[in-house]
Amino acid sequence: MASLKKFLKSKDYITIPLVLTETNHFELVASINGVTGKFILDTGASNTCVGMDKIDFFEMASEVSDIKAAGAGATEMDTLISSKNKIQIGDWKKRKLKIVLFDLVHVNQALVSHKSLPVDGIIGADVLKKGKAVIDYNKKCLYLKK
């Protein structure tokens, strides 16, 4: 039987390496609007998110949102929405991505307290669905369809 990597490559998937952190999260490098950052891969997050403190860093335009964010012990957090962003993960690219912006201080405090480095954002299920993602936990790889 062919390996998962060979099979997915034959189906036009690209391989993105993942790093397993001390907190048992997978991290990856991605670019938003041409600017590279570090992100947690979170299958439980419905949307891809970026910290509000990174709006200028990733050259994002934002508008007020009625959506309240919750996660990592915090609830009812105010958010902004940024539309029409470009994301690139490895050779996989997508345009017109909506990204939720909220305060990631609590997430980064939790990471730092467990001897991990802070992140710029979270890659959520929206991107994973668009990329028809396959995660190989054993090989620490994310596969996205071109």
Side-chain angles (χ1 to χ4, degrees):
M1 181 176 185
S3 71
L4 178 62
K5 184 176 183 173
K6 286 180 184 174
F7 173 76
L8 291 173
K9 189 173 182 177
S10 75
K11 300 292 183 188
D12 254 357
Y13 277 78
I14 57 163
T15 307
I16 292 100
L18 299 172
V19 175
L20 188 62
T21 68
E22 290 291 322
T23 58
N24 225 16
H25 289 94
F26 280 127
E27 288 182 353
L28 58 91
V29 173
S31 295
I32 295 177
N33 301 326
V35 181
T36 302
K38 186 164 69 164
F39 295 81
I40 288 176
L41 180 67
D42 188 349
T43 61
S46 54
N47 295 293
T48 294
C49 308
V50 166
M52 282 201 194
D53 61 330
K54 299 293 182 174
I55 293 171
D56 292 336
F57 179 72
F58 287 113
E59 302 172 11
M60 303 170 88
S62 62
E63 55 192 60
V64 177
S65 168
D66 292 333
I67 299 169
K68 296 289 183 185
T75 59
E76 294 295 311
M77 294 179 288
D78 291 329
T79 65
L80 299 173
I81 290 285
S82 179
S83 302
K84 298 180 183 173
N85 295 288
K86 293 178 262 179
I87 188 167
Q88 182 169 347
I89 304 172
D91 290 333
W92 184 85
K93 298 175 187 177
K94 204 58 147 177
R95 295 182 173 275
K96 299 181 184 175
L97 179 70
K98 279 189 182 178
I99 296 175
V100 175
L101 303 158
F102 73 101
D103 189 349
L104 287 178
V105 168
H106 65 287
V107 171
N108 282 324
Q109 284 175 341
L111 291 171
V112 169
S113 73
H114 287 90
K115 298 181 175 57
S116 291
L117 295 173
V119 295
D120 299 308
I122 298 164
I123 301 297
D126 56 342
V127 166
L128 299 175
K129 285 175 21 183
K130 285 177 183 172
K132 299 181 179 170
V134 175
I135 302 170
D136 185 336
Y137 287 87
N138 188 44
K139 301 280 186 190
K140 299 181 184 108
C141 290
L142 169 67
Y143 297 95
L144 296 172
K145 187 161 177 76
K146 284 187 184 177

